[in-house]
Structures are given as structure tokens and as C-alpha cells.
Amino acid sequence: MIRALAIDLRRSAAAGAGLIVLILGLTGMYLLFGQDAWSSRWSPLATTLRTALAFTWPLTLAAGAWLTDRDRRGRVGELFTSTARPAWQRAASPALALSLTVTVAYLLTVAACLPLVAGSATYFNPAAIAVIATGLPLLLAAGLLGMGLGAVVPSRFTAPTLAMAGLILASAPGLLSAYSVAGRIQQSVALLSPVLGQSGDFLIVPARLSLAQSIWALALATTGFLLLSATNVRVRTAAALPAVFGAVTALLLLASGGPANSMDAVDAGARELVCADGTPRVCVRRVHAAILLDTVAPARDALHRLSRLPNPPTAVEEGIQDISGNRDDQDTPSAQTITFYIETGQAADIDAEQVTLQLLTGAGVISCGDTSNWQTYGAARLAAAYWLLETPPPDTNHKAVEAWQRLTSLPAAEQLARIAALRDAGLACNADAQWDILTGGPR
């Protein structure tokens, strides 16, 4: 077996397939997605590695079929089948060769990314390791399934057809998400697909899903190897049973885990607040704890500027943006605490001036409520920030400049009263009133 494996590693396409998997994996992680999408955070690293399988999984599937088709291309299939060796022994060597090279490629991809996370991440959830680890059996399953299907359909078109089918399967979760298809359908497709969408800093893929996908991958790999070593139609038909059993088991495991739409779970540990020493209180989320020291100065500067207003805020906290559209999950304005946000992947590039500007926008009140004119609403909030900064807004924002000029043309006491009134309107989520408050007639 060892001698046969060495021959397959030297002479077959297995080594080349592993090299391409490695190149595609590193290209996806560092060039396509970029290291800002996952560096210094374990959960984004895990989901981005799995997203990179959108390229490597279809390739591995096609490589398996291409490797199996070598007997047909060399016209030695009948010669090999006439030997005394059992079919499974003949199949084991090339299958092991492809599995070995793909395993090395995946592990090298992970190893190349770890230095940008392990030394700088401020929060670790063990579930992220499960997400990363599940990617390997899914890749191995692709290789074995490709080999099995290549043996069943020995044709030059099998490998490219499987590559296209793999791309479609890998992109299916993203397409369903784009068209707002949720519930059991999205969950089932996500189980079948090796790709996980990038879930952000405050969510984690549930361990139950990783376990279900591992079961599905093992079942697919078993089916692939049985197809590869099958010698008659009856065995090939029975080879589908592990895949069916694995899919049913995995779906039942997911169904017992709670709500249908459970592709992402809230990572409570990542959302915990970590606060700086001293007062006023300044806090960020644990997953972003590395930027706490860089946040303290601009946050306290913003609190100092807002102290001119009646009932000013006394603390700053990082908020959590919810993009689901569920109002119950949205942050609400607070009179005592200013909330600011860090875009996913932008924590390392935090800018003190931008933090201060964000905290002062809307006179220290986050955006809420609906309005008939978002342009004037945003301009009024921005003009209030620049009034507190004692500098005019950029000339590129004409509406904000207009609001600021009208405001600063009033007596100082009136200016302060209007900023306070705009803040009160923001706390009440009265978005439509804020432009008129700054630019209207005598109050």
C-alpha cells in the first residue's frame, strides 16, 4: 500500500490538485476577502476559511473525477479489473493520495492565517475551532465523491460538469440569503453546502451545525468510496444509502436544535463590555478590546463637548448593529450613554477623529425613527456634530454646511438651545423635526 501510495503521489494529479487547493485557499483569504475581514478575530477567521471553500471544494470534487478517469484515458481499465486484488484495495491508493494532498493544503492554509489571529485576538470561542475543523472532512468528502462519480460516469466531461455543479452548490446559501429565503430551506441548503456566509464579529456558527455538517461529510465520503470500489450495479445503488442516512441524521440533529433559522447564534462572550479605568466610563465589546485604549481619548473628548448641554450623557459604549431589520434587536437612544459602532473588519483602522465625529453626530444620539427626507435629517445631525466641534462641515456636504451656517448666525444662547432641542428630538426618535429645529425661524 505504501509503495502504491508513493507512486500515486508522484505520477497522478493528486499532488497538483493539492497545490491548486493551497493556492486558491491563500488567494481567497489574503487577496479576495482580504485579511481585514478576519484578522484578530476567531469567528470571522473560521467563517472566511469556510467561505473560501467556494473555490476549493468544487476544484477538489472535479479533481477526484479527473483522477479516476486516468484509467479510461490510459485504456487500462479492463487490465486493472482483471487482477486478483480486491476493488477496494485498488481504489484505496489513489483515494488516499488525493485525501493526503488536500489535507496538507487545507492545514497549510489555516496555518498561514493563524499568526494574524492567535497573537492579537482578545476573545476566543471554541466553537470557531469546530467550524474550521469541519472544513477538512467536507473537502475530503468532495474528493472521494468526485472519484466515485468519476468511476460511475467515466467521461472527459464528468470533471468539468462536477466543477460547475460544485460551484452552484457552494453559492446556493448566498443566493438564498440574497432573495430572503429563510427557515428550513436555507438551513437544509447550508447543510449541503460547504460554504458558510461571513457572520460578523458578534455571531458564531452553532456547534450543532458543525456536528451536523461533519456527519454529512462522513456520509458523503463513505458513499464516494463505495462508488469508487463498486463492481456491479447493485453495490453502486447501495452506495447511496450512507449519503441518504447522513443527510437525514444531520437534518434531524438540526431540527432538534430550536428555531429553523439558526445558522448563526449570538456570541454572548463577544458582546460583553470591557471598560477602561477611570471616569467617564468608556466601554467596547470584548471582541474589540484591543482598541479600548485608542477609544478612550476621543470618547472622553466627545463627552466633554456634550457637557455644555442640559442633562448631558455620562458614558460611552460600543453598540451592536443589527441588520436583520427586527426592531426588537436594534439599539435604542439613551440620554445617559452615547453609542458608537465599529464596522466589521475596521477595528484595526480606528481613527480618533472619526470616533469623536460619530459620537457627536446628532448631538450624541444614535439614528432612529423614520423620516420623509433622509438627506436633510442626516445633514442636521452632522451639522450638530460640527457645531460641537466648533468647526464648519466639509464643503462637499452642502446641506450640512447650510444648516451649520443658519445655526451659527443665531445668538449663542439660541444656538445652544437648538442643539439641545435637536438632541431631545433624537432621543424621542422624531427624525422629521430635526432639520426644522436647526434651520427654522425663531423658537
Side-chain angles (χ1 to χ4, degrees):
M1 173 64 72
I2 296 178
R3 181 181 179 184
L5 175 61
I7 294 174
D8 275 312
L9 288 173
R10 289 198 311 268
R11 298 182 179 179
S12 74
L19 179 61
I20 297 175
V21 167
L22 174 62
I23 293 173
L24 285 179
L26 293 176
T27 300
M29 294 300 292
Y30 278 93
L31 298 181
L32 184 59
F33 303 117
Q35 64 188 56
D36 287 344
W38 49 267
S39 62
S40 302
R41 291 152 297 142
W42 284 101
S43 180
L45 169 65
T47 54
T48 306
L49 279 167
R50 292 290 301 278
T51 303
L53 292 188
F55 314 107
T56 56
W57 197 87
L59 171 70
T60 306
L61 185 68
W66 180 262
L67 188 62
T68 305
D69 195 44
R70 65 178 179 174
D71 292 347
R72 183 195 64 80
R73 296 193 303 272
R75 299 180 181 180
V76 294
E78 292 185 4
L79 175 63
F80 287 158
T81 55
S82 65
T83 62
R85 294 178 63 197
W88 71 267
Q89 288 187 5
R90 295 196 305 271
S93 176
L96 186 58
L98 182 61
S99 298
L100 181 61
T101 58
V102 168
T103 297
V104 171
Y106 185 73
L107 293 179
L108 286 176
T109 302
V110 174
C113 298
L114 284 180
L116 295 184
V117 176
S120 56
T122 56
Y123 172 72
F124 171 71
N125 189 326
I129 299 300
V131 178
I132 296 173
T134 305
L136 180 56
L138 284 168
L139 265 183
L140 297 180
L144 291 174
L145 182 63
M147 295 186 75
L149 294 175
V152 173
V153 187
S155 167
R156 69 182 66 182
F157 301 109
T158 301
T161 300
L162 288 179
M164 293 300 299
L167 286 172
I168 293 172
L169 184 60
S171 61
L175 293 175
L176 291 180
S177 177
Y179 287 97
S180 301
V181 178
R184 294 295 180 198
I185 296 177
Q186 184 185 19
Q187 196 175 63
S188 301
V189 171
L191 168 68
L192 298 176
S193 173
V195 175
L196 296 176
Q198 293 169 292
S199 57
D201 295 349
F202 302 109
L203 299 173
I204 189 70
V205 176
R208 185 181 297 272
L209 176 58
S210 295
L211 176 60
Q213 288 195 313
S214 297
I215 293 173
W216 167 240
L218 178 62
L220 271 185
T222 303
T223 289
F225 187 76
L226 290 177
L227 287 173
L228 179 61
S229 58
T231 56
N232 55 62
V233 175
R234 180 179 299 178
V235 176
R236 288 175 177 174
T237 302
L241 293 178
V244 174
F245 177 77
V248 171
T249 302
L251 286 171
L252 290 175
L253 179 63
L254 287 177
S256 65
N261 192 18
S262 59
M263 302 313 303
D264 293 314
V266 172
D267 193 342
R271 298 183 176 212
E272 291 178 357
L273 288 172
V274 178
C275 301
D277 295 332
T279 57
R281 189 169 67 97
V282 177
C283 306
V284 298
R285 303 294 168 169
R286 184 171 296 280
V287 71
H288 296 151
I291 66 164
L292 179 58
L293 293 179
D294 296 327
T295 306
V296 171
R300 289 177 176 167
D301 177 49
L303 289 172
H304 173 71
R305 293 177 182 276
L306 288 164
S307 65
R308 302 165 56 187
L309 303 178
N311 191 25
T314 58
V316 170
E317 290 182 1
E318 180 190 353
I320 300 172
Q321 287 182 311
D322 181 80
I323 60 174
S324 67
N326 185 353
R327 291 184 179 273
D328 293 336
D329 295 331
Q330 304 287 342
D331 287 330
T332 56
S334 169
Q336 299 303 313
T337 301
I338 319 176
T339 303
F340 76 103
Y341 300 97
I342 298 173
E343 297 291 337
T344 298
Q346 301 301 313
D349 300 324
I350 188 169
D351 181 84
E353 293 183 359
Q354 289 300 315
V355 171
T356 303
L357 181 61
Q358 185 184 159
L359 290 169
L360 295 178
T361 297
V365 180
I366 60 173
S367 178
C368 74
D370 295 321
T371 177
S372 57
N373 192 327
W374 289 101
Q375 182 184 18
T376 56
Y377 169 65
R381 289 170 48 79
L382 190 61
Y386 278 99
W387 184 87
L388 289 162
L389 287 170
E390 301 177 357
T391 186
D395 293 337
T396 53
N397 195 321
H398 302 298
K399 280 291 183 180
V401 171
E402 178 187 347
W404 183 85
Q405 288 175 342
R406 291 192 187 183
L407 177 65
T408 54
S409 66
L410 300 172
E414 178 69 11
Q415 294 178 37
L416 182 62
R418 293 200 179 211
I419 293 295
L422 179 138
R423 175 174 166 78
D424 291 339
L427 291 170
C429 292
N430 187 357
D432 276 329
Q434 295 186 36
W435 174 264
D436 291 335
I437 288 173
L438 285 195
T439 64
R443 297 177 57 81

